Amino acid sequence: MKTILFIFFLLLPYFHIIPQDLNSIIQGNINLSFNGTFQNATKDFTVYSYDGNYSGTYEVASATDEMRQLKNFKLFYKENLIHTFSDVPGSDMYISNNGTVIFLDHSNHFKGELKINVYNQRGIYKFSKIFKSASLFGSSPLGNFIGINDKEGLNIINLKDGSNNIYEHSDQFCFSENEDVLASIRNNKLIVHSDKTLTINLPNNFLYARDIKFSSTNNIVSVINKKNLYTFSTLDGKLVSHNILEDKLSYRDLKIIDNYIFAGVHYKDENYSKGVLKVYDISGKELLNKVLAEKNIALSSNIKLDKNLAPEQISWPFAPFDSMRTVWNHYEQHMGYYLHQGLDLIVPIAEPTYSVVPGYVKLVLTIGGASYWRLAVSKEQVPGVANGWLHAHLIESTIQVDVGDTVTLHEYLGDIIHWADDWAHIHFVEIKDSGSVWYYDDNEWGINFNPLNALVPNTDPYPPEIQPAFPSNGYPLTFAKNNTANILSKDSLYGDIDIIVKVNDYVGESNWSQPAYKSYYTILRADNDSIVKPRTLGHILNHPYSFYDSPHFYPYDSVLYLDHPSFLPTSWMDTLRNYYHIITNEDGDTTISEEDTYNSLHTTNFVDGNYKIFVEVYDQYGNSDTASLIVRFKNGIVNVNDEVGLYNFYLGQNYPNPFNPSTNIEYSLSIGGITTIKVYDILGEEKAIILNEYKSAGSYITLFDAKDLPSGVYIYTINSGSFSQSKKMLLMK
């Protein structure tokens, strides 16, 4: 008996007597997700107020890359219907604790704008406001205020009258219970805004604040980062308590209810993600430590983890990592009035996404609403500029990481939120920014390149297809007066003109048509096929940009595409779309600027007459289509001082290479003569005669069709007088 009593008193410090009122608080106020964040009961196409009393349901009528047209919004108080909107003025929404609905209009997201449309609980319109680069949101406990952090700072908007007070930028902020105090944190400075402003300097090693909560009742303010929970007195700013988490645990969320501090804690290993509830009293004493939710996140044993990719390559961001996903929207795709800034992949609702690189989490934020959560992982943790892969449209309650965390290759990051009734999509692209934390409100995000150039595997058997812009005439090329939609006749081209090529392509097994990735054009004399304008890059959808979602982005659509109501893509919910590429604006380089819209083909550089315009279009994988058209230049010019006929002997490398089944061979002759081009296998056996005729001095392109030959390495040789040269080419079927 003495031994039993001794053991009991020895273990007594490890047993906590849980107050009776604490259990009732937990049952009525606490719902913890498996990622350690406090959530209301979750349901697709439903939005809840923070206290869970109000909810709103909606349907999706249509969707583009970042904008959804919603319909049939219904607002409920508990289970009682209050009002219904047939047409919803936004693509997402917040509901405050007093039933005020803030509809989030993302229709000008390409300008970095978010418009809020505010309606009271009876459905009566109150006001609207526009914010630039908004990225941090929160509402007050009684539902009378909403805070939005944007380029100007932290905006505190009165939802009754629309008045707005602006404070300095914030990393996290919160209101007191009665909404008379605002607390905010930026870097290591915590500021309590009330009748008497209180500033608290946090410890120097306190990095990346994750949440902050204020209690007027208890005169405390609590703040967390990954491993630390600090509680300070709001009377004098002194430290009240400090709690530290052990390995594999991280603080994710906070609540202060009555006399208790509730901390949402995340536990994660290779197999499980768990939401752990820790409860402390005001002095910091731990009263409860309990797992409330968990999810098995272990990868199947048959999932291939390819860690031997080249530095410039990445796997697909979903398991299995060697499986292509459905490409919905292409990089620099024409969206009707702007260019798409990444790659959209369609996936099932709640599909898990994984990191494509090992590294550091630089940002976790939403640009407005539950459907717009995103994160980015960079290989580097440096104060200067670095690159990182952006995963957008995540379910907030599943996000596994926060700013400052490290991740491994193929580590689970979270699940993709619904976008339409039966599918979801991820917006995926490599961006760049500066600093150990990447902010959206400083307009520093840049876009690096087309992700399809890095994703592995990248097989695609389907070539792009050149189509007539006007089916009535069947011409594969269309011409317009420079920088206009004034269509010109192919038999009467004059002045500075744009060449327009309508193209549709498909990436892998996707049913959504895409633009051409790259194009070239060449101009030849119609009578002898001599080249008067060498092969020139027409366009390439792989430009870097020093900005993301900014007012500077949308004018670039008119550089790459004909920008006119009669020549626009169809709806982005349609699988078949139209892309009218302008291939005379790029000026033969791989950079882009607004001034490129003034580039054109100067027909006055050529004497009047008939010419052949030869166009090639390619996808990322080397598949191609070609077209040519005889046109007539008519400027009244009978002689120009050009350099036609002044050529050196030359044999170019075939393109594309590898090819299937056709390829182009370019060559030049300094003097005329009988010219032959023959193809041999690697054993020296002749397989084809491409050319055997007299050719005048000049530059030429000839097409070789190898449809009757098997895959392999071949050698092509040119002979003309004393000129002879050979090159290798690879046929891959």
Side-chain angles (χ1 to χ4, degrees), residues 382-670:
V382 295
V385 176
N387 303 319
W389 285 98
L390 180 74
H391 303 241
H393 304 299
L394 304 180
I395 300 173
E396 180 189 8
S397 62
T398 70
I399 296 174
Q400 298 290 292
V401 295
D402 217 321
V403 172
D405 286 344
T406 59
V407 298
T408 58
L409 177 64
H410 297 151
E411 183 170 330
Y412 170 55
L413 299 176
D415 299 340
I416 307 302
I417 201 166
H418 64 265
W419 195 245
D421 289 342
D422 57 357
W423 55 272
H425 90 283
I426 186 175
H427 183 84
F428 185 68
V429 70
E430 189 187 65
I431 64 175
K432 63 180 179 180
D433 204 337
S434 64
S436 56
V437 181
W438 289 354
Y439 295 103
Y440 187 57
D441 55 39
D442 57 9
N443 205 29
E444 286 186 355
W445 288 19
I447 313 171
N448 292 336
F449 65 94
N450 191 327
L452 282 173
N453 288 333
L455 286 164
V456 176
N458 55 3
T459 55
D460 179 10
Y462 306 107
E465 181 182 351
I466 297 175
Q467 302 172 335
F470 295 98
S472 58
N473 62 36
Y475 298 148
L477 308 179
T478 302
F479 308 92
K481 190 174 178 61
N482 182 40
N483 211 18
T484 73
N486 181 14
I487 304 301
L488 301 175
S489 168
K490 74 178 184 66
D491 298 317
S492 182
L493 300 180
Y494 59 91
D496 297 338
I497 68 168
D498 289 330
I499 302 175
I500 298 141
V501 183
K502 180 184 177 184
V503 182
N504 270 316
D505 184 33
Y506 294 90
V507 178
E509 299 301 322
S510 173
N511 291 323
W512 304 85
S513 61
Q514 311 296 333
Y517 170 64
K518 181 168 57 175
S519 67
Y520 294 93
Y521 69 99
T522 308
I523 302 179
L524 309 93
R525 294 193 185 279
D527 55 356
N528 62 6
D529 279 349
S530 62
I531 297 174
V532 296
K533 184 172 181 59
R535 184 176 188 247
T536 302
L537 178 68
H539 84 279
I540 184 168
L541 301 185
N542 192 36
H543 300 101
Y545 293 88
S546 59
F547 40 79
Y548 185 100
D549 272 353
S550 80
H552 311 294
F553 200 100
Y554 66 93
Y556 290 81
D557 70 315
S558 58
V559 175
L560 296 174
Y561 303 90
L562 187 60
D563 195 6
H564 187 273
S566 299
F567 299 93
L568 291 178
T570 48
S571 167
W572 301 117
M573 295 298 279
D574 293 339
T575 55
L576 181 62
R577 303 152 173 179
N578 302 312
Y579 301 100
Y580 301 91
H581 297 279
I582 301 175
I583 65 172
T584 44
N585 277 352
E586 285 272 339
D587 201 24
D589 58 27
T590 56
T591 61
I592 190 169
S593 67
E594 294 182 50
E595 289 73 26
D596 284 344
T597 57
Y598 300 103
N599 293 331
S600 63
L601 174 64
H602 307 297
T603 63
T604 53
N605 289 347
F606 308 92
V607 296
D608 287 359
N610 293 332
Y611 294 85
K612 180 189 292 184
I613 298 180
F614 177 72
V615 173
E616 314 153 56
V617 295
Y618 293 84
D619 62 18
Q620 249 95 358
Y621 317 101
N623 302 311
S624 65
D625 192 17
T626 60
S628 63
L629 187 67
I630 303 295
V631 301
R632 185 166 185 81
F633 294 166
K634 293 179 65 175
N635 292 284
I637 299 173
V638 296
N639 186 26
V640 293
N641 183 22
D642 59 20
E643 297 181 354
V644 175
L646 301 179
Y647 299 96
N648 294 319
F649 282 119
Y650 165 76
L651 178 64
Q653 183 64 54
N654 67 299
Y655 58 90
N657 188 42
F659 66 99
N660 176 28
S662 60
T663 187
N664 298 283
I665 297 173
E666 187 174 349
Y667 63 97
S668 297
L669 306 174
S670 62

Side-chain angles (χ1 to χ4, degrees), residues 45-255:
F45 308 104
T46 304
V47 177
Y48 294 88
S49 61
Y50 188 73
D51 60 13
N53 288 326
Y54 288 91
S55 63
T57 64
Y58 61 88
E59 300 172 25
V60 179
S62 62
T64 64
D65 62 325
E66 292 287 332
M67 176 66 184
R68 299 182 303 173
Q69 180 60 55
L70 306 183
K71 64 180 182 179
N72 298 333
F73 172 79
K74 297 179 180 180
L75 181 67
F76 297 86
Y77 178 72
K78 297 186 176 177
E79 296 181 355
N80 300 313
L81 178 64
I82 300 177
H83 64 78
T84 300
F85 283 168
S86 297
D87 298 317
V88 180
S91 56
D92 213 320
M93 64 211 69
Y94 291 113
I95 303 175
S96 80
N97 284 348
N98 66 8
T100 301
V101 183
I102 302 98
F103 292 107
L104 306 167
D105 182 353
H106 286 270
S107 57
N108 280 325
H109 69 91
F110 59 93
K111 297 181 181 180
E113 290 183 0
L114 173 70
K115 182 179 181 181
I116 65 169
N117 300 304
V118 179
Y119 290 75
N120 68 16
Q121 62 176 248
R122 297 186 302 279
I124 298 173
Y125 172 78
K126 299 290 292 183
F127 60 88
S128 298
K129 286 183 178 294
I130 294 176
F131 301 90
K132 292 281 190 176
S133 302
S135 61
L136 182 64
F137 306 83
S139 60
S140 61
L142 301 179
N144 296 314
F145 298 90
I146 185 172
I148 299 178
N149 197 81
D150 75 345
K151 290 185 67 174
E152 301 301 320
L154 176 59
N155 299 264
I156 302 299
I157 304 106
N158 188 318
L159 295 177
K160 293 181 178 179
D161 58 19
S163 60
N164 186 12
N165 290 322
I166 300 179
Y167 299 83
E168 66 179 72
H169 285 98
S170 177
D171 292 333
Q172 301 290 339
F173 69 92
C174 70
F175 299 87
S176 62
E177 305 97 321
N178 57 7
E179 303 183 338
D180 63 344
V181 177
L182 170 71
S184 66
I185 186 170
R186 182 77 162 192
N187 298 324
N188 284 67
K189 185 169 65 174
L190 192 158
I191 303 177
V192 178
H193 303 273
S194 59
D195 293 338
K196 183 178 181 181
T197 300
L198 173 67
T199 300
I200 300 172
N201 292 317
L202 297 170
N204 292 329
N205 62 350
F206 186 88
L207 301 174
Y208 316 124
R210 296 186 171 185
D211 200 7
I212 180 175
K213 287 294 182 288
F214 185 94
S215 172
S216 296
T217 303
N218 298 291
N219 294 314
I220 59 169
V221 59
S222 295
V223 60
I224 55 171
N225 68 0
K226 183 173 184 176
K227 292 293 184 182
N228 298 277
L229 164 59
Y230 288 99
T231 298
F232 299 92
S233 167
T234 57
L235 300 177
D236 55 17
K238 292 183 178 180
L239 181 66
V240 174
S241 63
H242 177 204
N243 299 89
I244 304 174
L245 292 179
E246 59 270 26
D247 190 34
K248 293 187 179 180
L249 293 176
S250 58
Y251 286 114
R252 293 298 304 275
D253 214 343
L254 272 180
K255 286 177 179 280

